[in-house]
Amino acid sequence: MDLNLTGRRALVTGSSSGLGEAIARLLAAEGAEVVVHGRDETRTRKVADEIGAVAVAIGDLATDEGADSVAAAAGEVDILVNNAGSYEHVGWAEATPEAWARTYEVNVVSGVRMIQRLVPGMRGRGWGRVIQIGGGLASQPIATLPHYNASLAARHNLAVSLARELAGTGVTSNVVAPGAVLVDAVQELVTAIAPERGWGESWEEIERNASHDFVPNDIGRFGRPVEIAGAVAYLASPYADYISGATIRVDGGTIRSVN
């Protein structure tokens, strides 16, 4: 299916690996002029070369200086995918106020920085897309990772606020909320703890049992990065002109809600 993205310039933050890389690859395959972003220049340029990106943007979005550098390298962007983020895998006892502040800076304020730098241009041109990569933990938080759960909720919330702000401008703001996605780090973690959990030996057994214990869903497996990328590509396309302030869940039915 041709999503009519040819000629549209897209910046995918955190696209030198993992989910961001998958999103950048699919947007490029659909004809978008993709800007690949990362903090490691070698890794970022490798992905950019492989997908035929039009530019590379290097910078730490947790700082104003890094955001300025990325915005300058990206140029006039039509599609902004705020994917970059991270968290420490800790619970309430270990999640210090400093960890909360750091997580919020990286996962929320970094996206705000890019919105404030790039969305005015979209508004002026009368067309644009802002897509936040959120997650099911925003609406169905777990006991651990409290700082990360809260940062995802903020991502969802700001996307809806931005949609209201952009009403009537031709620029939309939406969220894609993945479930547990099978990126390299997830597969390594799950494989490492499989023996002690009794999840089996083959990857097929491990994935089925791990997904049941970690993120029970109707499909019975982890999501694939390209499946998340597909939802992003759709929201970035003209076929989604009538969608704004929405959350598209791509989680196999992990979140059990009619909303």
Side-chain angles (χ1 to χ4, degrees), residues 1-2 5-6 22-34 51:
M1 182 176 182
D2 182 0
L5 293 177
T6 300
I23 294 169
R25 286 184 180 278
L26 185 56
L27 291 178
E30 288 292 333
E33 299 173 356
V34 174
I51 70 173

Side-chain angles (χ1 to χ4, degrees), residues 7-256:
R8 298 295 189 186
R9 192 175 182 95
L11 169 64
V12 183
T13 67
S15 48
S16 62
S17 64
L19 180 55
E21 178 184 347
I23 294 169
R25 286 184 180 278
L26 185 56
L27 291 178
E30 288 292 333
E33 299 173 356
V34 174
V35 179
V36 177
H37 162 258
R39 292 184 296 175
D40 183 297
E41 185 165 0
T42 299
R43 190 170 63 185
T44 305
R45 290 194 180 280
K46 180 177 182 294
V47 172
D49 289 343
E50 289 175 355
I51 70 173
V54 297
V56 165
I58 307 298
D60 183 357
L61 302 182
T63 69
D64 287 336
E65 295 78 13
D68 286 340
S69 296
V70 171
E76 291 189 347
V77 167
D78 303 299
I79 300 162
L80 169 61
V81 182
N82 275 326
N83 166 74
S86 66
Y87 64 93
E88 300 166 69
H89 203 287
V90 296
W92 272 97
E94 300 82 17
T96 63
E98 291 76 18
W100 277 77
R102 186 165 55 250
T103 301
Y104 196 85
E105 185 74 46
V106 171
N107 290 353
V108 181
V109 183
S110 64
V112 173
R113 286 190 175 95
M114 301 318 297
I115 288 168
Q116 291 179 338
R117 284 161 175 78
L118 299 176
V119 168
M122 298 181 193
R123 188 197 293 256
R125 294 186 297 275
W127 194 93
R129 298 285 187 266
V130 182
I131 302 168
Q132 301 287 121
I133 303 302
L137 296 178
S139 57
Q140 191 169 289
I142 56 178
T144 58
L145 311 178
H147 53 328
Y148 181 56
N149 299 338
S151 72
L152 287 180
R155 282 191 174 200
H156 284 229
N157 189 285
L158 74 85
V160 177
S161 175
L162 182 62
R164 304 292 88 83
E165 165 68 16
L166 295 172
T169 66
V171 184
T172 63
S173 171
N174 292 291
V175 178
V176 170
V181 180
L182 190 64
V183 295
D184 291 343
V186 170
Q187 185 164 2
E188 291 168 7
L189 170 65
V190 168
T191 301
I193 65 177
E196 65 186 66
R197 302 294 179 93
W199 286 339
E201 298 183 359
S202 70
W203 172 249
E204 289 75 16
E205 291 178 306
I206 293 172
E207 180 178 20
R208 181 176 63 252
N209 291 320
S211 62
H212 178 271
D213 289 354
F214 277 175
V215 279
N217 64 72
D218 298 335
I219 308 301
R221 61 170 173 82
F222 294 104
R224 298 322 192 234
V226 71
E227 294 170 323
I228 315 305
V232 173
Y234 166 66
L235 286 176
S237 78
Y239 296 107
D241 278 346
Y242 199 51
I243 300 175
S244 196
T247 296
I248 307 298
R249 294 201 303 266
V250 190
D251 62 5
T254 300
I255 303 301
R256 302 181 183 280

